[in-house]
């Protein structure tokens, strides 16, 4: 009967619980064998028992003996015993289970005592797990490697914590179909173990353990593509940095920002702790650094024969996976930025990545010394997420962006960048004038006297001089996070997302050229087959296949991600609104002189905004979700500055603004978002036609050695826009008014250049038509043509197609000019003289001559 059951004393109950937890016994032949003592894993601590008896104590395990027994168990060598770390994990798990059983005890006093003993056992297990991992040779059985053989041989050299962290972050989480190996799938992490392990301990104890974990995590994503298993390591990284000690250990790791004489952008990407996480991408990379699985090969091989639904599925999968990466990395950085002890280290890391990859802005990028496009597109997306709090509709926090950051911040290399208008000498002179040289009582010398020399060195060498303001040293170094994040995001987008747009454009051009060459080779093969031509055709087909795979990868990660493009548009809206604020806001006319704060800003700030608008405008429906006030601000900015060389010196940059407007014309954009920008926008109605005419004249002299040829394409864009505006009554009225006011000024120059271009283009086209006729005659004489060497025929055929394209373009441009003359000349009531370089006869005579010229756009 239950009443006859012998009652155990609290000491006996404690002994029984602790024996179950630690799997040890102090008695060789227990009087009442229990399930724990019959367990083959139970170890008899004979020497420990003898010592306890010699001290006159009972052979019952208690809280006082707990640590002593644990040390002896870990230090001894016993047959079939578990490795120390596995054993300690087991102790923690068994203690956790015993606590759940103890909670059912009715005796509150007994329950409290036993809970205290079991919790102490958990703490000891955690404490000695830390000691063991920090000093793996301390215990005789200290095999650090054999933590869990079932976890996979790939982890055999990793920290025993590695699979436990993976198991913790993967519990209850379904991985995508593209997930690779589930590192922690066969490992059981006791609830609460890792949390107890990483909290309530000193930094020096955990730091070496965490450093090893971070190295393991870095290695687990090294050369992993978007289709590989990056999600578990990323979640593990986020889990660790949420612990204050984990965040501190990460930024103090030697690989947080690698050091060395040969340090460059690629080295940071491949060797820093975060670098391989940012390297995960769908974008193509150099063969040496290529990630697996190969996204292009796996998702887009033989794309021309695949179903549209299959391609769409691949696009969706890659976009989803990349956004998972963006969100995870942004959360990691945000966690570190919220911690005041680690914030500066994050900013230093971002600045180092930017500075060491500054050469990514070049046309030709060295893939060995620069980080990959994938890393910088990922970093662009992450920085945009970090910028979201100050990208609200009203841009209420833009006053926290300080333009002096460009001159005085020691983190980023900004002073060597091309400015919107000012030269480095002008900036240096302005700084000297604003900050006169003086020495204060503290002995700190103000650096105004050195700024000219330093800025001149920066302009010539691209290095970052340490030009400092004359304020106190505490003022010098501190800028709000919003300010730092704004300028870093602008630099990252320039080197990342905008560079990827440029790479994509060049890739499309390469595909187009290769396809044209392939078509030519196939035509030649049909006329005169040869083995060499067959090899060339085969090579080109393989080349086009690889190009197509790369194109689809860009499309999947960037073009199909509408949210990413809209976030970038929101950021550049802040950029243009902030820049306009430096000149007094959205109002015309502009100030008579350009403020140095505006003139000194990096030119790429504006250029990147224009490039993004052009790219986004050419993606179907990319602008449909953009708020009207966003495009409205861009429109005002363009109208204000496209004809203002005293504010933006680069004529090609101002010409790019016209290209944006061309993309927004209703017949071209196909977007409802741009339909009202031209016809009801007040600033547009007042200044758009005037500024277009002025730019048409200004572009005659760009300062480039190719200015004569460049002007035709630029004026082509202006002509298309003017032709559209002529159809809008309000703009036509404004045009007529300008013609009357500027008949002897800008408008007269505009017409002169328009006629000059028309005559040149028509003359050039007619001359080339004669050359083309001669080539046609050669090729039509079949007998003579066949007798010529194959190489000569190839060269003449290529010349024929080249001349054909040139004539087509020249005639198109000439016809546009002639068409525009038909309505622009109506506004001039008096005859005038053309420039001496052309001829001397009235305008109506010129038009009478031109109206007889051909009007078709082809030969």
């Amino acid at each position: 009967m239950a009443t006859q059951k012998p009652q155990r004393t609290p000491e006996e109950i404690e002994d029984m619980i602790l024996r179950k937890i630690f799997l040890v016994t102090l008695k060789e032949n227990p009087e009442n064998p229990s399930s724990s003592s019959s367990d083959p894993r139970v170890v008899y601590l004979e020497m420990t028992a003898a010592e306890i008896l010699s001290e006159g104590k009972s052979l019952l395990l208690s809280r006082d003996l707990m640590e002593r027994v644990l040390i002896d168990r870990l230090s001894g060598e016993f047959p079939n015993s578990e490795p120390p770390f596995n054993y300690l994990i087991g102790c923690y798990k068994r203690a956790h289970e015993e606590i759940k059983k103890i909670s059912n005890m009715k005796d509150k006093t007994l329950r409290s005592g036993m809970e205290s003993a079991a919790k102490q056992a958990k703490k000891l297990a955690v404490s000695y797990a830390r000691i063991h991992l920090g000093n793996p040779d301390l215990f005789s059985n200290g095999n650090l490697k054999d933590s869990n053989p079932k976890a996979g041989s790939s982890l055999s050299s990793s920290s025993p914590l590695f699979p436990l962290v993976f198991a913790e972050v993967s519990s209850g989480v379904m991985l995508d179909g593209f997930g690779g190996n589930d590192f922690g799938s066969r490992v059981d992490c006791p609830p609460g173990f890792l949390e107890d392990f990483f909290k309530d301990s000193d930094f020096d104890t955990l730091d070496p353990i965490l450093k090893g974990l971070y190295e393991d995590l870095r290695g687990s994503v090294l050369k992993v593509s978007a289709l590989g298993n990056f999600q578990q390591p990323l979640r593990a990284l986020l889990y660790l940095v949420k612990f204050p000690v984990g965040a501190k250990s990460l930024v103090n790791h030697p690989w947080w920002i690698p050091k060395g004489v040969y340090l460059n952008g690629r080295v940071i990407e491949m060797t820093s702790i975060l670098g391989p996480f940012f390297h995960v991408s769908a974008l193509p990379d150099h063969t040496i650094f290529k990630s697996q699985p190969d996204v292009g090969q796996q998702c887009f091989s033989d794309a021309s024969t695949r179903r549209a639904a299959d391609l769409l599925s691949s696009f969706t999968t890659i976009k989803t996976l990349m956004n998972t990466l963006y969100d995870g990395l942004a959360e990691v950085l945000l966690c570190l930025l919220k911690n005041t002890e680690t914030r500066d280290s994050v900013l230093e890391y971002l600045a180092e990545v930017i500075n060491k990859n500054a050469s990514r802005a070049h046309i030709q990028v060295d893939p060995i010394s620069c980080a990959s496009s994938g890393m910088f597109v990922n970093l662009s997306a992450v920085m945009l997420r970090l910028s979201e709090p100050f990208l609200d509709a009203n841009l209420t926090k833009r006053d926290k962006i300080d333009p002096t950051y460009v001159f005085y911040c020691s983190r980023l290399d900004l002073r060597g960048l091309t400015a919107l208008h000012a030269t480095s000498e002008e900036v240096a002179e302005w700084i000297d004038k604003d900050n006169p040289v003086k020495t204060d009582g503290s002995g700190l010398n103000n650096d105004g006297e050195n700024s000219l020399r330093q800025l001149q060195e920066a302009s010539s060498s691209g290095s970052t001089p340490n030009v400092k303001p004359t304020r106190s040293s505490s003022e010098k170094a501190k800028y709000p996070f919003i300010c730092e994040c704004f300028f870093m995001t602008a630099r990252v987008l320039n080197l990342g997302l905008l560079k990827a747009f440029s790479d994509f454009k060049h890739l499309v051009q390469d595909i187009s050229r290769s396809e044209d060459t392939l078509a030519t080779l196939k035509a030649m093969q049909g006329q005169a087959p040869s083995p060499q031509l067959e090899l060339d055709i085969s090579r080109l087909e393989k080349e086009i296949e690889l190009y197509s795979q790369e194109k689809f990868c860009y499309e999947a990660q960037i073009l199909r991600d509408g949210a990413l493009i809209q976030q970038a548009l929101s950021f550049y809206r802040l950029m243009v609104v902030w820049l306009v604020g430096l000149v007094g806001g959205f109002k015309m006319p502009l100030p008579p002189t350009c403020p140095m704060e505006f003139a000194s800003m990096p030119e790429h700030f504006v250029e990147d905004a224009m490039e993004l608008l052009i790219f986004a405008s050419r993606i179907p429906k990319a602008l449909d979700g953009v708020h009207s006030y966003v495009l409205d601000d861009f429109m005002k900015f363009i109208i204000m500055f496209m004809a203002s060389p005293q504010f933006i010196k680069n004529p090609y940059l101002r010409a790019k603004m016209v290209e944006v407007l061309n993309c927004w014309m209703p017949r071209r954009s196909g977007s409802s978002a741009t339909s009202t920008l031209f016809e009801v926008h007040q600033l547009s109605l007042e200044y758009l036609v005037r500024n277009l005419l002025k730019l048409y004249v200004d572009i005659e002299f760009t300062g480039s050695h190719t200015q004569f040829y460049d002007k035709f394409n630029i004026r082509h864009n202006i002509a298309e826009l003017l032709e559209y505006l002529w159809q809008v009554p309000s703009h036509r009225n404004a045009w007529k008014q300008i013609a009357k006011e500027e008949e002897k000024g800008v408008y007269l120059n505009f017409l002169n250049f328009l006629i000059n271009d028309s005559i040149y283009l028509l003359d050039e086209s007619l001359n080339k038509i004669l050359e083309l006729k001669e080539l046609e005659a050669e090729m039509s004489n079949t007998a003579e043509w066949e007798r010529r060497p194959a190489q000569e025929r190839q060269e003449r055929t290529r010349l024929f197609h080249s001349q054909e394209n040139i004539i087509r373009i020249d005639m198109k441009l000439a016809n546009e000019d002639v068409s525009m003359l038909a309505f622009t000349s109506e506004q001039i009531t008096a005859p005038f003289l053309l420039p001496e370089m052309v001829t001397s006869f009235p305008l109506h005579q010129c038009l009478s001559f031109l109206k007889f010229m051909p009007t078709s756009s082809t030969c």
Side-chain angles (χ1 to χ4, degrees):
M1 294 177 64
T3 56
Q4 301 299 320
K5 186 176 180 180
Q7 295 292 320
R8 293 190 179 94
T9 64
E11 291 77 11
E12 290 174 332
I13 295 173
E14 186 177 42
D15 170 67
M16 182 181 67
I17 290 172
L18 294 179
R19 280 191 286 114
K20 286 182 180 179
I21 291 173
F22 293 111
L23 293 179
V24 295
T25 180
L26 298 176
K27 300 176 182 179
E28 187 172 7
N29 296 305
E31 297 175 5
N32 296 307
S34 64
S35 60
S36 65
S37 61
S38 60
D39 191 322
R41 297 174 298 166
V42 174
V43 170
Y44 171 45
L45 301 177
E46 183 178 4
M47 295 297 294
T48 309
E51 290 174 5
I52 293 173
L53 285 175
S54 68
E55 295 168 5
K57 297 178 181 179
S58 170
L59 293 179
L60 292 177
L61 278 178
S62 64
R63 274 166 276 191
D64 295 337
L65 295 174
M66 196 187 302
E67 187 168 6
R68 180 177 175 180
V69 166
L70 181 58
I71 292 173
D72 289 346
R73 164 62 183 80
L74 291 170
S75 302
E77 294 188 13
F78 305 100
N80 302 321
S81 62
E82 295 177 289
F85 187 76
N86 285 15
Y87 167 72
L88 291 167
I89 290 288
C91 289
Y92 185 95
K93 183 178 180 180
R94 290 187 291 272
H96 178 76
E97 291 170 352
E98 288 300 321
I99 289 173
K100 288 195 290 186
K101 294 176 184 177
I102 291 169
S103 64
N104 295 323
M105 290 183 177
K106 295 180 180 180
D107 188 328
K108 292 183 180 179
T109 304
L110 181 62
R111 183 172 68 236
S112 176
M114 295 307 106
E115 279 183 351
S116 176
K119 286 178 181 178
Q120 188 175 335
K122 285 177 70 175
K123 287 183 179 179
L124 274 177
V126 170
S127 179
Y128 276 87
R130 293 193 197 108
I131 293 170
H132 169 64
L133 292 182
N135 305 275
D137 298 325
L138 182 62
F139 302 117
S140 62
N141 206 15
N143 184 357
L144 189 65
K145 297 180 181 180
D146 189 20
S147 64
N148 197 314
K150 294 180 182 179
S153 58
S154 63
L155 300 178
S156 60
S157 61
S158 302
S159 165
L161 277 178
F162 192 52
L164 292 181
V165 174
F166 273 84
E168 179 73 17
V169 299
S170 302
S171 57
V173 179
M174 290 295 292
L175 288 179
D176 303 90
F178 300 100
N181 297 320
D182 188 352
F183 292 121
S185 60
R186 300 184 183 91
V187 181
D188 184 17
C189 182
F193 174 78
L194 289 176
E195 188 174 349
D196 289 342
F197 187 92
F198 289 117
K199 73 177 185 180
D200 302 330
S201 178
D202 63 291
F203 176 75
D204 292 337
T205 300
L206 286 178
D207 186 46
I209 299 169
L210 284 162
K211 279 181 167 54
L213 273 175
Y214 288 131
E215 291 165 20
D216 291 339
L217 287 173
R218 172 193 162 277
S220 68
V221 293
L222 196 61
K223 292 193 177 182
V224 170
S225 75
L227 302 184
N229 181 18
F230 66 85
Q231 297 180 64
Q232 280 182 297
L234 182 58
R235 286 195 292 266
L237 177 66
L238 179 59
Y239 178 82
L240 293 176
V241 299
K242 285 182 176 179
F243 294 103
V245 67
K248 185 178 179 181
S249 179
L250 176 59
V251 300
N252 282 283
H253 196 291
W255 295 352
W256 171 251
I257 302 178
K259 307 294 182 186
V261 178
Y262 301 104
L263 184 67
N264 58 38
R266 182 65 80 165
V267 170
I268 293 178
E269 179 181 24
M270 303 310 292
T271 62
S272 68
I273 298 297
L274 293 185
F277 285 94
F278 279 105
H279 182 256
V280 175
S281 173
L283 301 184
D285 196 5
H286 191 276
T287 307
I288 298 174
F289 310 105
K290 197 172 183 65
S291 300
Q292 295 297 331
D294 187 322
V295 177
Q297 186 65 34
Q298 189 159 330
C299 295
F300 304 116
S301 59
D302 301 319
S304 58
T305 61
R306 292 197 177 195
R307 295 186 308 152
D310 293 339
L311 289 176
L312 185 60
S313 174
S314 295
F315 288 142
T316 304
T317 298
I318 291 170
K319 186 179 78 169
T320 303
L321 288 170
M322 293 315 302
N323 275 277
T324 300
L325 178 70
Y326 303 155
D327 292 338
L329 288 172
E331 198 171 349
V332 168
L333 291 187
L334 192 59
C335 187
L336 294 170
L337 287 165
K338 287 179 178 178
N339 187 334
T340 54
E341 289 187 22
T342 58
R343 181 181 301 152
D344 271 356
S345 297
V346 176
L347 295 175
E348 290 293 341
Y349 174 78
L350 293 173
E352 189 73 359
V353 170
I354 293 167
N355 293 335
K356 294 298 182 185
N357 287 283
S359 58
R360 277 188 54 81
H362 299 168
I363 296 175
Q364 295 293 331
V365 178
D366 179 10
I368 306 300
S369 62
C370 289
S372 64
S373 292
M375 176 180 187
F376 264 85
V377 169
N378 295 343
L379 190 55
S380 297
V382 170
M383 293 304 295
L384 287 171
R385 280 161 168 75
L386 296 180
S387 302
E388 279 182 0
F390 55 88
L391 296 179
D392 56 294
N394 296 321
L395 304 177
T396 53
K397 298 179 181 178
R398 68 177 184 272
D399 59 333
K400 295 186 180 295
I401 303 169
D402 188 345
T404 64
Y405 185 93
V406 173
F407 318 119
Y408 303 136
C409 175
S410 59
R411 264 195 248 274
L412 283 184
D413 296 347
L414 294 174
R415 290 178 292 272
L417 299 174
T418 303
L420 283 170
H421 193 277
T423 64
S424 59
E425 291 81 4
E426 290 169 339
V427 175
E429 183 181 352
W430 173 65
I431 292 175
D432 290 344
K433 184 178 179 181
D434 189 52
N435 299 311
V437 180
K438 60 183 178 180
T439 305
D440 58 25
S442 66
L444 292 174
N445 288 325
N446 296 316
D447 299 319
E449 63 183 354
N450 298 320
S451 59
L452 176 61
R453 175 180 56 81
Q454 292 169 321
L455 278 169
Q456 286 173 338
E457 290 174 0
S459 65
S460 61
S461 66
S463 62
T464 306
N466 190 21
V467 180
K468 300 178 182 178
T470 60
R471 299 181 289 250
S472 68
S473 58
S474 60
E475 261 187 300
K476 292 177 192 177
K478 292 184 179 178
Y479 285 94
F481 171 73
I482 289 175
C483 183
E484 297 239 33
C485 187
F486 173 80
F487 285 103
M488 286 187 177
T489 303
R491 289 293 292 137
V492 167
L493 287 170
N494 174 253
L495 303 174
L497 187 62
L498 273 300
K499 181 63 177 174
F501 289 161
S502 175
D503 292 342
F504 178 77
K505 183 172 68 175
H506 293 147
L507 180 61
V508 171
Q509 291 170 352
D510 289 341
I511 292 174
S512 177
R513 279 193 292 266
S514 296
E515 287 177 340
D516 289 344
T517 304
L518 181 63
T520 302
L521 290 177
K522 285 184 175 180
M524 292 167 60
Q525 178 76 342
Q527 295 175 0
S530 73
Q532 183 59 46
L533 276 176
E534 191 66 38
L535 289 173
D536 290 343
I537 289 171
S538 177
R539 176 185 55 79
L540 262 179
E541 286 175 340
K542 291 177 182 177
E543 194 175 277
I544 292 171
E545 168 65 17
L546 291 176
Y547 279 155
S548 298
Q549 290 179 18
E550 291 183 7
K551 174 178 171 288
F552 281 122
C553 287
Y554 274 97
E555 187 174 344
Q557 184 166 342
I558 302 175
L559 276 70
R560 296 273 174 167
D561 195 344
L564 175 63
I565 293 174
Q566 290 194 14
Q567 285 172 337
L569 286 169
S570 295
F571 177 82
Y572 280 108
R573 180 210 170 205
L574 168 62
M575 175 68 76
V576 299
V577 171
W578 176 73
L579 285 172
V580 166
L582 299 179
V583 299
F586 285 114
K587 57 186 178 183
M588 292 286 280
L590 289 166
T593 59
C594 179
M596 280 302 296
E597 289 87 348
F598 181 91
S600 306
M601 288 302 109
E603 185 181 86
H604 79 74
F605 285 5
V606 176
E607 185 175 9
D608 291 345
M610 297 303 110
E611 286 286 0
L612 176 65
L613 288 170
I614 293 168
F615 198 85
S617 300
R618 290 171 178 169
I619 301 174
K621 300 183 179 180
L623 297 180
D624 286 353
V626 179
H627 293 291
S628 58
Y629 57 78
V630 175
L631 296 179
D632 186 70
D633 286 338
F634 284 123
M635 185 73 168
K636 289 186 286 188
F637 181 87
I638 290 171
I639 293 171
M640 286 176 67
F641 294 105
M642 69 178 177
S644 303
Q646 70 275 27
F647 285 82
I648 297 179
K649 184 184 294 185
N650 187 345
Y652 295 101
L653 176 52
R654 289 184 283 116
K656 203 176 289 290
M657 296 178 183
V658 177
E659 196 174 345
V660 174
L661 297 182
N662 261 39
C663 294
W664 286 355
M665 286 192 300
R667 69 169 181 262
R668 182 167 294 171
S669 72
S671 171
S672 58
T674 61
S675 59
T676 61
L677 288 175
F678 296 97
E679 300 183 14
V680 297
H681 195 286
Q682 189 58 38
L683 208 60
S684 169
L685 295 174
E686 292 182 30
Y687 290 96
L688 183 53
V689 172
R690 182 184 301 273
N691 287 352
L692 284 171
L693 295 174
K694 188 174 184 303
L695 181 59
Y696 192 100
V697 173
D698 291 345
I699 212 67
E700 180 74 17
F701 305 104
T702 65
S704 169
H705 66 283
T706 58
Q707 65 180 12
F708 180 78
Y709 301 99
D710 295 338
K711 67 181 181 183
F712 292 113
N713 286 329
I714 297 169
R715 285 175 174 170
H716 161 70
N717 289 329
I718 296 175
E720 284 194 325
L721 197 54
L722 287 172
E723 184 179 354
Y724 159 68
L725 294 175
W726 181 256
Q727 310 303 321
V728 181
S730 52
H731 283 292
R732 183 187 299 182
N733 293 334
W735 193 327
K736 291 178 180 179
Q737 185 63 32
I738 294 165
K740 291 177 182 178
E741 295 173 359
E742 300 287 344
E743 184 173 344
K744 302 298 183 183
V746 170
Y747 202 71
L748 179 61
N749 291 333
F750 161 69
L751 288 173
N752 281 345
F753 289 132
L754 181 60
I755 294 173
N756 287 350
D757 289 354
S758 302
I759 293 174
Y760 170 79
L761 290 167
L762 289 168
D763 180 59
E764 192 76 3
S765 301
L766 293 173
N767 288 335
K768 288 191 181 297
I769 287 174
L770 294 177
E771 294 177 15
L772 198 67
K773 287 291 183 182
E774 292 177 5
L775 285 170
E776 279 184 333
E778 289 180 17
M779 297 168 71
S780 62
N781 188 344
T782 310
E784 179 64 27
W785 180 255
E786 292 295 336
R787 281 196 292 270
R788 295 190 179 190
Q791 185 175 353
E792 183 183 348
R793 280 181 289 165
Q794 291 177 22
E795 290 174 356
R796 299 295 282 176
T797 303
R798 288 195 183 98
L799 178 61
F800 178 83
H801 291 306
S802 173
Q803 295 285 64
E804 198 174 36
N805 288 332
I806 291 172
I807 294 170
R808 186 180 292 110
I809 293 169
D810 284 353
M811 289 297 293
K812 180 180 180 182
L813 295 175
N815 287 328
E816 279 180 356
D817 289 348
V818 172
S819 175
M820 195 156 57
L821 278 168
F823 53 84
T824 56
S825 60
E826 295 174 11
Q827 312 313 317
I828 297 293
T829 56
F832 64 95
L833 295 180
L834 296 172
E836 294 178 0
M837 67 181 77
V838 182
T839 183
S840 303
F841 54 88
L843 175 62
H844 69 275
Q845 292 181 6
C846 180
L847 289 176
S848 299
F849 167 73
L850 291 173
K851 70 181 181 181
F852 294 106
M853 301 305 296
T855 56
S856 65
S857 59
T858 62
C859 300

